[in-house]
Amino acid sequence: MSYVESLRVFVRVLELGSITSGGRDLRLTPAVASKRLKELEKRLGVRLFNRTTRSITPTEVGTVFYDEAKAVLRALESAEARVANFSATPRGAIRVTAPLGVGRRVVAPLVPEFSDMYPETEIRMRLSDRKVDLLADGLDIAFFVGEPSDSNMKLRKIADCKRVLCASPAYLSQFGTPQSPEDLLHGAHNCLLLRYPRSPEYYWTVETDLGPQKLEVRGKYDADDGDVLTDWALAGRGIVNKPRFDVRDHLASGRLVEVLEHTPPVQTMFGCLYPHKKLQDPKIRLFVEHISRNSKPMFV
């Protein structure tokens, strides 16, 4: 198994661009990860990386070997998944990603119960509001809120996700409460925007009697972290467009107030994506079922 582990280290180091990052992803120290790479290079009799004090880049043979090593690991994962169907005890790591808000408030709280039911599994979560690539990042499941764009993955819809426009009482007292969607335009209100490279949310879409209406809203603040937007809204800095589950407690306490209730943002979807071949793996199937079954009440 040491050779297989060395292959895993090689693949993740190449994909993540550093020994430290590759080792951390596999829960190894940089020293252990570096030792595994040296053992692999010694076994193969070639140099897989060019190393300097500032960077590590694959050699030509390293680039060629990467494709073959990746294929070996995929074949091994597939074989293990098929064998696991004959076992009553799912085991192994499940690599999960989710946006910050839904990851913290929906997925993460359900993880301990799953681990208690299946103690031989390990959950490795990566939370980010940025778009991720499941295959390139070595992930098994990607939970999302919104509309999926990757048609090469298996899609599982879990629940409809209602959204809400809201602001703090202090903000509404100072700037007024919008009475129609048009009141959000032309800089009349400060709209807090989720933005990051290649972000799709550069506008808001609300439901009206005539159908969906796209609003090209503007604001002085934007961030790639949805929780930062909530904090700004709580601080009286603007109006935010959030999934209702994400701000439910703030709405109930009165720290945030819903606006434009009759023309709310178009609801989106809470779901997950995973490679088709992962259906063969019982631990993936059981984890998706667990999150799906226990998270639905949060979206009512």
Side-chain angles (χ1 to χ4, degrees):
M1 288 299 292
S2 61
Y3 181 62
V4 173
E5 291 304 315
S6 295
L7 288 181
R8 289 195 175 102
V9 172
F10 164 70
V11 166
R12 293 310 282 155
V13 167
L14 189 148
E15 291 174 341
L16 297 177
S18 77
I19 292 176
T20 299
S21 297
R24 183 187 301 119
D25 186 71
L26 296 170
R27 299 184 178 180
L28 301 174
T29 65
V32 171
S34 180
K35 181 181 178 181
R36 293 280 173 81
L37 289 179
K38 290 178 181 177
E39 290 174 349
L40 183 60
E41 288 178 325
K42 182 177 179 180
R43 173 174 177 142
L44 296 173
V46 296
R47 179 183 295 177
L48 298 172
F49 289 101
N50 291 316
R51 300 170 176 83
T52 70
T53 55
R54 293 187 177 183
S55 66
I56 180 170
T57 57
T59 61
E60 181 178 359
V61 68
T63 301
V64 172
F65 186 65
Y66 167 77
D67 293 331
E68 302 301 328
K70 189 80 170 179
V72 168
L73 293 177
R74 286 174 180 166
L76 182 59
E77 288 180 359
S78 178
E80 289 176 341
R82 295 184 67 180
V83 169
N85 281 295
F86 294 91
S87 172
T89 307
R91 55 174 54 87
I94 305 174
R95 300 167 184 84
V96 182
T97 186
L100 292 167
V102 75
R104 288 169 177 161
R105 282 175 275 284
V106 177
V107 180
L110 299 175
V111 166
E113 182 182 2
F114 182 84
S115 294
D116 289 343
M117 291 189 295
Y118 305 106
E120 294 192 39
T121 61
E122 300 174 5
I123 309 300
R124 301 179 182 176
M125 289 192 67
R126 303 289 183 268
L127 303 184
S128 174
D129 281 332
R130 292 173 177 250
K131 184 178 179 181
V132 298
D133 185 322
L134 268 76
L135 297 180
D137 294 336
L139 299 165
D140 298 313
I141 309 168
F143 291 95
F144 66 89
V145 171
E147 297 300 325
S149 58
D150 195 336
S151 61
N152 294 322
M153 298 291 152
K154 178 70 175 178
L155 168 65
R156 170 70 177 267
K157 178 180 177 180
I158 297 175
D160 290 321
C161 180
K162 296 179 181 178
R163 301 187 70 92
V164 59
L165 298 176
C166 54
S168 72
Y171 175 87
L172 297 176
S173 175
Q174 181 176 357
F175 296 99
T177 301
Q179 301 300 311
S180 70
E182 288 73 18
D183 290 346
L184 300 178
L185 304 177
H186 314 301
H189 282 278
N190 192 42
C191 297
L192 306 172
L193 305 176
L194 181 67
R195 283 186 172 176
Y196 49 86
R198 295 179 297 279
S199 168
E201 293 193 32
Y202 287 97
Y203 55 84
W204 292 347
T205 305
V206 297
E207 290 283 8
T208 71
D209 293 338
L210 300 177
Q213 178 182 351
K214 184 182 293 187
L215 304 174
E216 296 184 359
V217 294
R218 293 184 295 171
K220 294 191 295 183
Y221 310 130
D222 64 60
D224 63 356
D225 182 334
D227 282 355
V228 169
L229 303 184
T230 301
D231 290 341
W232 283 336
L234 290 167
R237 295 298 178 175
I239 297 175
V240 69
N241 180 346
K242 297 288 293 185
R244 184 173 288 276
F245 78 85
D246 215 0
V247 291
R248 180 176 286 117
D249 291 345
H250 298 310
L251 293 171
S253 69
R255 297 182 67 197
L256 292 176
V257 177
E258 183 173 359
V259 300
L260 298 176
E261 296 181 50
H262 300 296
T263 53
V266 172
Q267 71 177 13
T268 53
M269 178 197 309
F270 171 54
C272 65
L273 294 168
Y274 47 94
H276 286 262
K277 64 183 179 65
K278 294 296 181 180
L279 286 172
Q280 301 174 12
D281 193 331
K283 68 176 181 290
I284 304 298
R285 185 170 62 251
L286 288 168
F287 186 77
V288 171
E289 288 294 338
H290 174 73
I291 299 299
S292 176
R293 181 175 60 255
N294 292 287
S295 65
K296 286 180 179 178
M298 303 181 193
F299 293 88
V300 174

